[in-house]
Every structure is written in structure tokens, then in C-alpha cells.
Amino acid sequence: MATTGAPLCIQLLGPVRAWRNGVEVALGPPKQRAVLGVLASRANDVVGVDAIVDALWGSDIPQTAANGVHTYVGGLRRALEPGRRRGTAGAVLTSESGGYCLRLDPMDVDATLFARRHGDARRLRGEGRADEALRLYEQALSLWHGEAYSGVPGPFAAMERTRLRDLRLTAVEEWAADMLAAGRHAELVTDLTGAVSEEPLREKLRWLLILALYRCGRQAHALRIYEETRQLLISELGIEPGADLRSLHQQILSGHPGLRSPGADPMPALLGGRQAAFGGAPKPQQLPPLARGFVGRTKELARLEEVLSDTGARPGPTTPVAVVDGPAGVGKSAFVLELAHRLTDRFPDGQLYVDLRGTGLQGRPLTAADALEQLLGSLGVEDARMPSGLAARATLYRSLLHGQRMLVVLDEAHSADQLRPLIPPGSSCVLATSRQRFGGLAARDGAHLVTIGPLADEESAQLLAMLSGGRLEGQDLATARLVALCGGLPLALRIVADGLAANPDVPLATLVEQYAAEQGRLDRLTVKDDAVASMRSVFEASYQALPADAARMFRYLGLHTGPFTVRIAATLAQTDWDTTRRLLSLLVANHLLEEEPGHQYRFHSLIGIYAAECAKREPLARRQEALGRLRLGSVDPQARSSRGDPGWRDACALAL
């Protein structure tokens, strides 16, 4: 990189280094180099301070993190622009609104240049211009000087190391296949041996090495590598080599003439495709059908479709992940399936679907190992070859989906740890739903998080009219009342619409009054013998997933009509302010409570009814004591705040 003649060149494919006008620059301590790595990976884009903090520290953020970022940026400016006068704006590393921007030609960053050359080599390869493609592959691979981001700390550097390593090994595989086709097997053995030692479980690398050794006249060595591979796969993963390696082994033993054809590319004939390699399983097409009457969500769908389509159109080692969260009954699964059906043409290798049962409504939640067993079975792995442990299953799953463009839909996730082993590397795409917001999955794994809320009144009315069998034609007042009673939750709206359509002989006014009565409303928002279609059941599942202290806070909040302040919540539950804030945040993250401006909280109308039911699980004496504390304003002195709460006594009166 130092010999390009560019004013500034950055090396990320090895130790992070920089050259200014051909002279290497001292970049300072590891975290300062980590900041440069983040900025260089997004050259000419503004990177927010919060994003840099997450990249350096992940979830373990010190209080001085933001100041540390400013200090490291200052150090980089002194290194990259030594002639800049103090107080003047930088030309290379500039301050922008909320962040910083490294301004340089992206091709002067070796990781970006590598990706460009690799992409061009693939294009030439596809056009049949093998010699030109080989030259570009070699130019791309020559940019590497060790492990990417070597010696640089932080979760961003760790993720980039993994991503770029996988991309480099993919390039090595493609280059080696073209070299074999050109009869240049003797030049391959050393490079492939090094690549195999770096990634010993990557069967395609071993396939290429064994064939190169055989073509070099080293049949015994080739057979020894095959046996080593077999023993390694059995000991590490509990599986035999795949059909590709087994076929090559048999052809070496039988002296198949096709192996000694240096002028032809043997890969298509010997590999036989993944369908043959894994038991002839058909391409998975597992998406459930779309729900009738999907409405709304236009902006959210457009946002995710753009993000995921853009990534899917440019295959690479980074898997796009989107997690849709929201309260029970808000239509997360319907939303994700609507999106998935729109994206199927971008992922031609098929669609996988797993219900992770995170709510517990349909049995115990699946473990990650259980889910991987289901996914591997869908990919054609027979029971006899199924690895026994989580790590082995995850490794095989990643290997099978390597290089594939597969759409993976994971419904009702319970936790980020349940999801992580199910995310394959490469150009597949993962869509997931959850009732919790997985902030850690966004920070550590780069997931896109989208929260969906209740439908707008107009959309709710549209859904009711669509599904109620014509009962609401010309009944605007009745429609508006039912919309308000359901609070925009699609599940509640669908239950009501079904009730209207199923009772054509009952006057509409009578049905509306039945739903309007708060006492017993959740009883009526139920489909008999179907827990998944019962508002009380879906709320109960969210409640049961809470830790004990958060569930207790939820019960005490059910004594009050809302809205709540931290003071009211602390008084009801008799908890200190720090604990109260933590528990309120946990309820918000689980979508059982809504946070509003002004540090106020409130229940969704239907969740409020359910919370009032839960409050009755507390002994009567404790409920009376809590309401007494609220009425008298007897907050624990440790829980008191200097901030005023002018609506507090009015709220107490409402609660009593």
C-alpha cells in the first residue's frame, strides 16, 4: 500500500498501518488504531461517536468512552495531518454533526481494494476470461499481510477479522479451482496447505489440496490428507466427510482418468452440487402462507426491503440480520412473512423456517441445538450423520450454507443467545421476530432492529371491514368504537372481526356492547381451544417470561390506571429509584409497558386490563398497603427525587 503514491494509504489486511505520501505514520496505541480501522472501513461516511464507542467497547462501555474517542481522534489528526494548525478544521479526518469522517479515496484502503479486485475477478471468471481472472485473484490476495485488524481490540475489529478471513478463503478457493483448471497444480500445494491449517474444517479447501497433490504425482500424500480429514471430522463434528470428498477419494483409488485432465475444470463433475452432497434433499421452500388481510406497515416494510435487498443483491460474507420486535398480538410474524415473501426471488437457494417457540404457548422454547437439528434436517442431513452438540451442529450448519443465498426465518426468538448460532456466515439473510428488543444483537452482530407498534385507526378499520363479512358496511361509529377497544392490535382486531362474521344474526349493537364492557373483555377476545389466538394467553406468555422482580413490579403497576412516573411505581412496589428505573426499562424492553415523553409510562389499554388481573395475584393486604402508600405519598427516603411531579396526587386519587 505504501508504494501507490496516494497522499494517504491505509492497511487493514494485517496490522493496522498508514502511510502519508509514502512514509509510514505512527498511529499510536491499539484503541487509536481501532478508531482508524472503523473510520477507514467506512471511508467518506460520517461515523457517529456512539457507533465508534460500540465498535471499541461493545456492551462494556466505560463512563469515559466518549471522551476517549475524542482523544483518539485528536491523536490520529496529529499523525495524519502533522502540518495542521491547532484549532483549524482538518481536511482528512473531519468533524461532522455527531461524528467523524475519514476523507480519502476508498481504493486507498486495502480491504476495500481487495473486495473490488475480488469482485472483478469473479466477473471475469463468469465471462470465461480465466487468465485475466487469475491475475486479479493474485493481485487481490497479494494485499494480505497477516490477520486482518491484527492487534486491534474491540468487537468491531473481531467481527471484521472473521468477515474478511472468510472472504479471503473464498477467494483462495476460487483462485485454486481456476489454477487447477489451467493445469497449474504444482503452484498450489504450499498456499492450500497454509489455508487448510488456518481453517481445518473447511472441506472445499481440503478437496482442492487433495486433488492438487494427486495431480503432482503425490497420491500417497493425497490419500493421507483424506484420512486425516476423515478422522478430524469424526472427532470434531461426529460426521463422515461429505459426498464431494468421498467421491474424490474413490476416484483416486480407482485411477479415474478425469482427475488427470489439467486442461479441463473437473469441479462441476466431481462436486455434483450440494443436493447430491447432502442426501438429495430438495431445495427448501418452507415459508408459511401469508395471513389474509395484511394491512399497513408500509414504511417499515420499505425500509427493511431496501436494506436486505441491497445486501442480497451483492453476495458477500456478511449475513444481513433483521429482528422485528413488538408487543404480543401486534402482528410481528405476519409482518416478517409478508417481507419474506417479497424477498424470495433475491435468495434463489431456498427458504428455511423455524418456530423457536420463544413464548412457550406451543410447548417449551427450542434450544439453539434443537433449532439447528431442525435446520440441518431441512438441508438433508440424515439422523445418522447429525452431530450431537451445539458447537458441532453450528459448524456443520455454517459449512452447508457457505456460499448459499438462503432466506432463514426464525419466528418467536426468546433471546439473542438463542439466535446467534442460527446466523450463518455469507450471503444468506436472517429474519427473526421477538417480543423483546435485542440491543446486544445490534451492537455485537450488526443486526437491524425494527419495532412495530399498533396499527393506526384507519388501518385498524380497514382490517376490521375486510375480515368481518360485510357487517361493518356503513357503520362508521360502531367501527370506530371497536377500533378503539382493540387498541390497534391486529390479533384483537381479527378476533373481533371473526366474532362479527360468525354471528350474523346477533345485532351489531349488541356485539359492540359485549366487547365494550371492560369486565370480561379479555374473555371475549379469545378463540376457543387456541391459546395462540387468545389475548389473555399471549399476554400471560410475555408476563411469564419476566424475571421475578419485574413480574412483581408489573403486578403492582396493575393497581393503578396510569400514567405512571418513576415515583408512583417506586411507591407502589416499595422499591428504590434505581431499581424502579431498571424494572420499568425491562418492562418497556419486553413491550409490556410504553414509555412516553416526560419520563412517564403507560399500559396499552388491553395490557392494562391484563395487568389489573395480575395485580389480584398479590394478597389483598399487600394491595391495600400499596394503595395506602400511594394515597399518603409515603415514599421511601432513598427513593425520593428532587424533581417535582405535579400530577402525582391526581394519579393517586385515580388509583383509589
Side-chain angles (χ1 to χ4, degrees):
M1 292 296 295
T3 61
T4 64
L8 180 65
C9 297
I10 308 292
Q11 173 181 292
L12 303 178
L13 303 179
V16 174
R17 302 168 69 187
W19 291 264
R20 183 176 175 273
N21 296 323
V23 178
E24 185 166 4
V25 174
L27 293 176
K31 276 194 166 61
Q32 190 161 295
R33 285 182 278 120
V35 172
L36 180 63
V38 174
L39 296 172
S41 71
R42 296 175 56 182
N44 301 316
D45 288 340
V46 177
V47 183
V49 173
D50 289 345
I52 299 175
V53 167
D54 288 340
L56 267 63
W57 287 281
S59 59
D60 189 20
I61 300 175
Q63 293 183 345
T64 58
N67 289 336
V69 170
H70 299 316
T71 300
Y72 295 140
V73 168
L76 288 173
R77 280 177 169 157
R78 289 190 293 273
L80 300 177
E81 299 181 82
R84 185 179 67 88
R85 296 176 58 186
R86 183 180 295 274
T88 60
V92 176
L93 209 174
T94 62
S95 297
E96 307 291 343
S97 176
Y100 299 99
C101 178
L102 185 65
R103 301 194 178 278
L104 77 167
D105 185 345
M107 292 303 108
D108 290 331
V109 179
D110 62 353
T112 307
L113 182 60
F114 169 77
R116 169 70 65 83
R117 287 178 176 174
H118 182 206
D120 289 343
R122 278 181 157 180
R123 177 178 53 80
L124 292 171
R125 189 180 191 228
E127 294 171 358
R129 298 156 66 180
D131 291 340
E132 295 173 77
L134 279 173
R135 282 195 295 272
L136 270 179
Y137 275 119
E138 289 163 0
Q139 291 172 15
L141 292 169
S142 71
L143 295 170
W144 284 79
H145 300 280
E147 185 181 55
Y149 290 81
S150 176
V152 170
F156 174 82
M159 287 190 294
E160 283 296 277
R161 268 192 290 274
T162 301
R163 181 183 74 85
L164 290 167
R165 178 168 171 262
D166 190 78
L167 187 59
R168 179 174 65 82
L169 291 174
T170 298
V172 168
E173 290 170 345
E174 294 166 353
W175 166 74
D178 285 358
M179 291 284 281
L180 283 169
R184 297 170 60 182
H185 37 270
E187 303 172 49
L188 283 174
V189 173
T190 300
D191 287 328
L192 285 175
T193 301
V196 165
S197 66
E198 182 180 349
E199 187 69 45
L201 295 175
R202 196 152 171 149
E203 289 192 41
K204 187 173 182 180
L205 283 174
R206 288 182 173 268
W207 189 97
L208 293 162
L209 175 59
I210 291 169
L211 181 57
L213 287 168
Y214 179 79
R215 286 190 173 178
C216 289
R218 300 166 65 181
Q219 177 175 326
H221 192 178
L223 292 172
R224 186 165 68 250
I225 293 294
Y226 173 82
E227 188 56 34
E228 289 174 3
T229 301
R230 181 175 178 272
Q231 293 300 325
L232 179 68
L233 291 172
I234 291 172
S235 63
E236 292 291 324
L237 304 180
I239 62 172
E240 291 283 339
D244 303 340
L245 275 172
R246 295 199 307 272
S247 175
L248 178 61
H249 179 237
Q250 289 299 320
Q251 291 183 67
I252 290 174
L253 292 175
S254 63
H256 194 287
L259 297 185
R260 296 187 178 276
S261 302
D265 185 359
M267 296 287 280
L270 295 179
L271 286 177
R274 289 186 180 260
Q275 189 166 332
F278 301 104
K283 181 171 74 172
Q285 304 280 353
Q286 298 182 347
L287 292 183
L290 293 173
R292 183 170 67 95
F294 183 87
V295 298
R297 315 297 191 197
T298 305
K299 291 182 180 179
E300 296 94 333
L301 283 169
R303 172 190 165 192
L304 278 181
E305 188 173 3
E306 179 181 1
V307 170
L308 300 176
S309 295
D310 181 59
T311 309
R314 295 180 284 103
T318 303
T319 302
V321 179
V323 183
V324 177
D325 60 79
V330 82
K332 301 177 292 296
S333 298
F335 173 88
V336 161
L337 289 176
E338 179 74 22
L339 176 62
H341 279 276
R342 296 187 184 193
L343 294 174
T344 52
D345 61 330
R346 279 82 155 183
F347 298 94
D349 293 314
Q351 309 97 43
L352 296 166
Y353 174 87
V354 178
D355 182 355
L356 297 174
R357 303 204 299 252
T359 63
L361 288 172
Q362 296 176 296
R364 68 173 182 85
L366 295 185
T367 65
D370 293 335
L372 283 167
E373 181 177 12
Q374 184 173 329
L375 288 164
L376 290 171
S378 299
L379 293 170
V381 177
E382 299 173 356
D383 290 344
R385 296 187 62 201
M386 186 69 66
S388 58
L390 172 61
R393 288 178 181 178
T395 300
L396 180 58
Y397 173 65
R398 290 193 294 267
S399 298
L400 292 182
L401 289 191
H402 174 70
Q404 299 290 292
R405 294 175 64 187
M406 190 83 70
L407 184 59
V408 183
V409 178
L410 305 170
D411 206 4
E412 291 287 6
H414 177 68
S415 67
D417 288 338
Q418 184 192 34
L419 275 183
R420 284 193 176 97
L422 312 182
I423 301 173
S427 51
S428 293
C429 172
V430 175
L431 302 179
T433 70
S434 177
R435 294 187 186 179
Q436 304 173 48
R437 186 165 179 82
F438 296 151
L441 201 68
R444 285 182 49 190
D445 306 273
H448 303 279
L449 304 185
V450 175
T451 300
I452 60 174
L455 295 173
D457 287 353
E458 182 179 346
E459 295 164 342
S460 298
Q462 182 183 353
L463 183 60
L464 272 178
M466 190 182 304
L467 301 178
S468 60
R471 292 295 308 274
L472 294 174
E473 289 184 12
Q475 300 291 335
D476 293 347
L477 291 178
T479 300
R481 195 172 181 195
L482 290 172
V483 164
L485 294 173
C486 293
L489 293 183
L491 178 57
L493 291 162
R494 288 177 179 275
I495 293 171
V496 168
D498 179 69
L500 297 179
N503 295 280
D505 298 328
V506 179
L508 178 62
T510 301
L511 293 173
V512 172
E513 289 303 321
Q514 289 176 357
Y515 287 116
E518 184 170 311
Q519 187 70 26
R521 186 183 305 171
L522 295 183
D523 293 325
R524 286 178 286 278
L525 292 176
T526 298
V527 176
K528 187 178 180 181
D529 299 326
D530 189 349
V532 179
S534 162
M535 295 309 301
R536 181 181 285 107
S537 294
V538 298
F539 293 153
E540 176 73 14
S542 295
Y543 168 79
Q544 290 295 338
L546 293 172
D549 53 357
R552 177 182 178 274
M553 174 62 77
F554 183 78
R555 293 193 300 272
Y556 275 100
L557 293 180
L559 295 169
H560 194 277
T561 58
F564 312 99
T565 61
V566 175
R567 179 189 292 270
I568 291 174
T571 303
L572 284 168
Q574 209 170 17
T575 50
D576 62 67
W577 274 56
D578 288 341
T579 299
T580 302
R581 288 194 184 96
R582 177 178 63 81
L583 295 177
L584 292 176
S585 296
L586 190 56
L587 292 173
V588 170
N590 282 268
H591 297 290
L592 285 168
L593 195 64
E594 300 172 1
E595 186 172 7
E596 298 183 326
H599 305 289
Q600 291 201 113
Y601 303 83
R602 72 170 62 246
F603 286 127
H604 180 279
S605 58
L606 294 180
I607 296 178
I609 295 172
Y610 173 73
E613 293 181 359
C614 288
K616 295 178 182 178
R617 302 180 190 183
E618 288 292 316
L620 177 60
R622 292 183 183 176
R623 284 182 269 153
Q624 291 173 337
E625 289 170 3
L627 291 173
R629 287 193 300 271
L630 193 64
R631 179 174 57 84
L632 297 174
S634 55
V635 186
D636 187 309
Q638 293 183 356
R640 290 190 180 275
S641 167
S642 60
R643 290 178 295 182
D645 189 358
W648 180 55
R649 295 200 178 276
D650 290 341
C652 292
L654 285 171
L656 296 170

